[in-house]
Amino acid sequence: MAVKHADLAEKFIADEPRTNWHDETLWFVREKRDKAAHGLPEWEQLREWGSQIKNNTLSNLSNYLKEFEEKATANGIKVHWASDAQEHNEIVHKIIQKHGIQKIVKSKSMLTEECQLNEFLQHRGIEVVDTDLGERIVQFRKEPPSHIVLPAIHLKKEDVSATFHEHLQTEKGNNDPQYLTEAARQHLRNKFVESQLAITGVNFAIAETGGFVVCTNEGNADMGAHTAPVHIACMGFEKLIPKAAHLSVFLRLLARSATGQPITTYSSHFNKPRSNQEMHLVIVDNGRSKQLGREDFRNSLKCIRCAACFNTCPVYRRSGGHSYHTAVAGPIGSILNPNLDMKANADLPFASTLCGSCTNVCPVKINIHEQLWKWRQVIVAEGYVATSKKISMLGMSFVFSSPKIYRLMGKTARGIMHVFPFIINNKLNTWYKQREMPEAPKDSFRDWYLKNRKN
Amino acid sequence: MSARENILKAIAMNQPELAELPVIDIASTIRYEDSYTQFKTVLESIGGKVELISDLTVLKEQLISDRLNGKFVVNTIETLGDVDEKAAFLSAFELEKVEKGYVKGTVGVAENGAVWIYESQMINRLVPFICQHLILVIEKKNIVDNLHQAYEKIDVSKEGFGVFIAGPSKTADIEQSLVIGAHGARSATIYVIA
Ligand code: SF4
């Protein structure tokens, strides 16, 4: 294991007030998700539908993909296939070269992060402007996003202010989010109106229609895609859904699970290019077909990237996205990344308490914590983990991984429910029903020991 | 073999046994006693404004006065007044200065405040996104309770593009503080014709 999650996490928690802030902010997002979910009596039914639709999709994926390709092509969209990140990047690069394009805007796409498209293009002398506000902030700072929905959640407004002062010449020390957002708006609107190429992600691609849907709150995907003469949309093949009617299920689940909003501000349905516009769609495998063949882990391909599992995860909240050293962090990232590179990511399935909160909130019912546990078996069996680590097979490994983390988690846990988010006593939570709620001790063993040793 | 064939072959080999699609029983999904009130409440909670009007008079007057005052507006609604067909040919650079866009929506959704707009209702795909202030007009009878019903009423693939818009553009990317007016419209007012 080259970089260890626990080591990176130690760095993150060195700043305790900031760690607490990060923890509380994400917990707040999780609470908004609960409120939105509980506002719909059919929430559990929706999750079930979402899960079943995705199960069906995965079980008939090769046909759906062919259907999608046929319909999309008939709609005038140029469909490309990429086996891996390199091929994906080369396809995009070729389109850029063909048109001699200089000005490129990109809205949020975790796939292009996974493929490291920006770096690839940069090495070839091509700049891409990320246009999601959070992504622009981290791009200025030469950092990767730390969260798939809230890319700059690890930063405070003072950090953003300093970054914008440097890059956008905003007033020094003006930390007002309204003021800073306005500065980014002006800066990025200039980028939009002169853009020659817009790259977007895809939230859902519909086999039945050959169209695709992109969801944003800021409107950045649309500002780029409807301006630029060339639009390239990039998607992992698991973004497919069978029918347009299924969009209702997923759009009802997505934003509620992500941020507690009833729907994102913009849910844009692209079917055909504008007249004189070129629209490309790149379908990427990059390890997904392999994951599909792993019976224990194929369910991870149902993910709709809502990040609910991040926000609820006591380990993510207290260790930050960068400690996962991969494009997709959090619980789901810890299942996807070992498939891509087991050796480099062998630490990730251990970055979990296996509390199961992720599984409880997942809108498509992925058995996240069970898969994390299963990855641990695989990783140990393949010899990627030190014997001393084997204790962590049982769970709570992250908490035990460093004395400092253990103390920090423990202190909070005794006072605040949110470190044990799985203990939620509501009638929808069937997991809870079958289990005893552990009593939190007043003192930890360590506190008790320190106190009593003195006597 | 091409990447396409490789990928499709690997998928066909690795995909599990066929699992049935669920039957989506729309009758079991949420209904509201008063869809309009729900629509208004939700939209206002996400930064939009909703006005119930009995006919188009107020809007017609608003459009006339906007034009008289030299405001750069784009009207795409025939029943309101002259339609700015030229918007179809304006560049993003020019449209960036549009103060107000008047756009008709097809369906409103009570559970989430979203309004469906077809490409033909925008004239130019950029209009509802790039204008500083967005005015949407829908008919009260076209407000449905939930998204399932909305998808039954629209045909997503009828035109080249279509969108659900729920309120003004927003972001919370700086310390989770909600700011209205990220890249798209700074305000969204939805006029509902009774
Ligand atoms: S695994 Fe589930 S909860 Fe996590 S991001 Fe994916 S869909 Fe959301």
Side-chain angles (χ1 to χ4, degrees):
Chain A
M1 280 184 250
V3 215
K4 289 204 184 80
H5 174 269
D7 299 339
L8 293 166
E10 278 236 44
K11 263 189 225 156
F12 183 78
I13 60 173
D15 185 345
E16 205 173 320
R18 190 178 278 241
T19 310
N20 288 335
W21 179 83
H22 189 264
D23 180 18
E24 280 154 22
T25 306
L26 287 162
W27 182 251
F28 179 64
V29 181
R30 150 80 209 247
E31 285 178 323
K32 285 199 290 187
R33 171 257 170 221
D34 290 349
K35 223 178 129 207
H38 298 161
L40 286 183
E42 67 265 33
W43 182 253
E44 289 305 308
Q45 176 66 67
L46 266 183
R47 287 177 75 210
E48 187 56 36
W49 285 337
S51 169
Q52 287 181 15
I53 296 168
K54 283 286 180 180
N55 284 340
N56 167 269
T57 310
L58 292 182
S59 75
N60 194 25
L61 196 52
S62 58
N63 285 331
Y64 284 140
L65 278 168
K66 283 184 232 165
E67 184 186 353
F68 175 73
E69 181 190 35
E70 194 186 307
K71 297 276 165 58
T73 309
N75 289 350
I77 302 174
K78 292 196 176 114
V79 179
H80 309 259
W81 301 76
S83 302
D84 53 26
Q86 177 78 17
E87 270 186 32
H88 163 267
N89 294 345
E90 281 166 2
I91 290 166
V92 174
H93 185 226
K94 248 188 220 147
I95 298 169
I96 295 170
Q97 272 188 320
K98 189 181 101 190
H99 294 277
I101 284 168
Q102 308 285 332
K103 302 199 154 73
I104 303 172
V105 290
K106 180 159 79 67
S107 67
K108 197 156 64 205
S109 144
M110 289 323 296
L111 179 74
T112 60
E113 293 291 337
E114 175 188 319
C115 296
Q116 300 195 301
L117 176 69
N118 284 9
E119 291 78 359
F120 179 95
L121 293 176
Q122 215 159 28
H123 286 144
R124 284 150 189 83
I126 299 161
E127 279 305 321
V128 175
V129 175
D130 281 329
T131 58
D132 172 85
L133 176 58
E135 285 211 319
R136 189 62 178 148
I137 295 167
V138 296
Q139 186 178 41
F140 277 144
R141 299 170 62 91
K142 301 193 167 48
E143 289 173 5
S146 66
H147 186 288
I148 57 175
V149 172
L150 319 164
I153 193 66
H154 59 292
L155 297 171
K156 303 279 288 177
K157 54 183 187 240
E158 295 78 24
D159 305 323
V160 178
S161 170
T163 305
F164 279 13
H165 175 63
E166 187 189 337
H167 293 272
L168 300 178
Q169 290 75 50
T170 54
E171 263 167 50
K172 200 178 168 81
N174 190 334
N175 302 334
D176 178 17
Q178 179 94 43
Y179 168 76
L180 297 169
T181 303
E182 182 63 28
R185 176 185 171 99
Q186 300 302 338
H187 159 68
L188 287 166
R189 278 201 157 220
N190 287 334
K191 299 288 179 194
F192 287 125
V193 299
E194 58 181 27
S195 65
Q196 299 167 304
L197 171 74
I199 300 172
T200 69
V202 169
N203 289 91
F204 305 99
I206 306 110
E208 178 188 46
T209 66
F212 59 92
V213 174
V214 182
C215 304
T216 73
N217 279 321
E218 298 180 4
N220 54 320
D222 291 280
M223 290 288 282
H226 306 320
T227 298
V230 186
H231 174 187
I232 307 178
C234 305
M235 60 177 257
F237 64 55
E238 80 283 12
K239 294 288 171 187
L240 216 63
I241 59 170
K243 292 176 190 306
H246 296 148
L247 284 169
S248 59
V249 173
F250 292 108
L251 291 186
R252 295 186 86 196
L253 287 168
L254 179 62
R256 286 184 174 95
S257 299
T259 56
Q261 291 170 259
I263 189 168
T264 48
T265 305
Y266 304 104
S267 311
S268 298
H269 298 52
F270 294 86
N271 297 309
K272 294 175 187 160
R274 316 187 295 275
S275 55
N276 298 325
Q277 189 196 29
E278 228 179 83
M279 195 180 276
H280 298 265
L281 195 129
V282 191
I283 301 174
V284 181
D285 182 338
N286 203 35
R288 287 166 175 76
S289 58
K290 195 164 149 208
Q291 188 85 324
L292 187 64
R294 298 184 196 265
E295 203 185 326
D296 285 341
F297 305 109
R298 67 162 60 107
N299 266 344
S300 59
L301 295 171
K302 291 158 71 177
C303 174
I304 58 171
R305 301 288 191 272
C306 71
C309 59
F310 290 50
N311 306 338
T312 199
C313 177
V315 175
Y316 176 87
R317 280 187 277 117
R318 298 199 70 81
S319 63
H322 290 157
S323 64
Y324 293 76
H325 56 82
T326 48
V328 179
I332 187 65
S334 300
I335 298 172
L336 297 171
N337 293 305
N339 173 58
L340 288 173
D341 186 340
M342 205 184 296
K343 190 162 170 233
N345 301 316
D347 56 325
L348 295 181
F350 295 86
S352 164
T353 63
L354 302 184
C355 72
S357 176
C358 44
T359 304
N360 280 335
V361 296
C362 177
V364 287
K365 292 194 165 184
I366 300 172
N367 55 336
I368 308 170
H369 73 298
E370 285 169 22
Q371 292 192 35
L372 288 169
W373 186 73
K374 283 179 179 162
W375 263 128
R376 292 183 187 184
Q377 329 278 315
V378 176
I379 284 162
V380 170
E382 307 253 332
Y384 288 122
V385 73
T387 331
S388 63
K389 261 249 165 186
K390 285 185 186 165
I391 179 180
S392 25
M393 297 297 296
L394 304 169
M396 302 295 283
S397 67
F398 170 78
V399 183
F400 291 140
S401 64
S402 129
K404 181 137 188 250
I405 292 167
Y406 174 72
R407 286 200 296 275
L408 235 159
M409 299 278 293
K411 261 184 205 148
T412 329
R414 280 183 300 282
I416 303 168
M417 234 2 204
H418 74 221
V419 175
F420 291 134
F422 50 103
I423 309 165
I424 289 180
N425 187 6
N426 73 54
K427 59 180 188 300
L428 300 174
N429 191 340
T430 49
W431 194 92
Y432 167 78
K433 276 190 205 153
Q434 295 146 23
R435 286 165 176 81
E436 290 283 300
M437 182 165 137
E439 276 278 327
K442 282 203 196 73
D443 289 340
S444 73
F445 173 74
R446 184 174 176 275
D447 293 341
W448 176 87
Y449 179 77
L450 288 176
K451 224 179 350 192
N452 288 279
R453 194 176 51 175
K454 290 187 192 110
N455 310 332
Chain B
M1 247 194 322
S2 70
R4 176 187 183 276
E5 281 156 25
N6 275 329
I7 295 169
L8 287 172
K9 209 179 106 192
I11 291 175
M13 224 165 67
N14 288 341
Q15 69 194 16
E17 221 174 276
L18 189 71
E20 289 298 315
L21 271 176
V23 179
I24 314 288
D25 175 20
I26 297 184
S28 70
T29 54
I30 200 160
R31 294 293 182 279
Y32 301 97
E33 230 162 76
D34 178 353
S35 325
Y36 167 74
T37 304
Q38 171 71 19
F39 178 76
K40 183 177 162 81
T41 310
V42 172
L43 246 166
E44 290 180 345
S45 76
I46 54 178
K49 278 183 245 125
V50 181
E51 304 275 356
L52 189 64
I53 51 177
S54 51
D55 58 42
L56 289 175
T57 317
V58 211
L59 276 171
K60 281 184 189 162
E61 282 165 7
Q62 199 186 115
L63 180 62
I64 291 169
S65 103
D66 283 346
R67 283 182 170 151
L68 276 177
N69 293 327
K71 274 195 191 165
F72 185 10
V73 296
V74 170
N75 173 41
T76 68
I77 310 172
E78 247 172 65
T79 46
L80 271 194
D82 291 343
V83 171
D84 295 286
E85 299 286 356
K86 63 172 192 303
F89 312 102
L90 293 183
S91 68
F93 185 75
E94 290 161 302
L95 288 170
E96 208 273 316
K97 296 176 190 71
V98 171
E99 186 71 13
K100 243 191 229 178
Y102 290 84
V103 180
K104 182 111 204 270
T106 309
V107 176
V109 189
E111 69 160 319
N112 57 26
V115 173
W116 174 263
I117 309 160
Y118 280 114
E119 177 167 16
S120 57
Q121 295 173 307
M122 317 170 185
I123 298 191
N124 183 318
R125 289 186 191 182
L126 266 173
V127 166
F129 304 96
I130 205 167
C131 63
Q132 299 289 333
H133 301 278
L134 177 63
I135 307 286
L136 287 173
V137 184
I138 58 167
E139 280 165 51
K140 193 162 176 238
K141 66 173 196 304
N142 290 331
I143 296 179
V144 296
D145 288 319
N146 66 53
L147 211 51
H148 305 284
Q149 296 167 305
Y151 276 103
E152 283 196 324
K153 282 195 88 155
I154 58 174
D155 174 2
V156 287
S157 58
K158 192 170 101 187
E159 298 188 9
F161 178 74
V163 64
F164 278 114
I165 296 186
S169 148
K170 57 178 103 38
T171 183
D173 274 349
I174 301 175
E175 266 198 25
Q176 279 296 290
S177 315
L178 180 69
V179 178
I180 303 286
H183 305 301
R186 294 176 190 276
S187 76
T189 310
I190 291 79
Y191 286 90
V192 179
I193 310 169

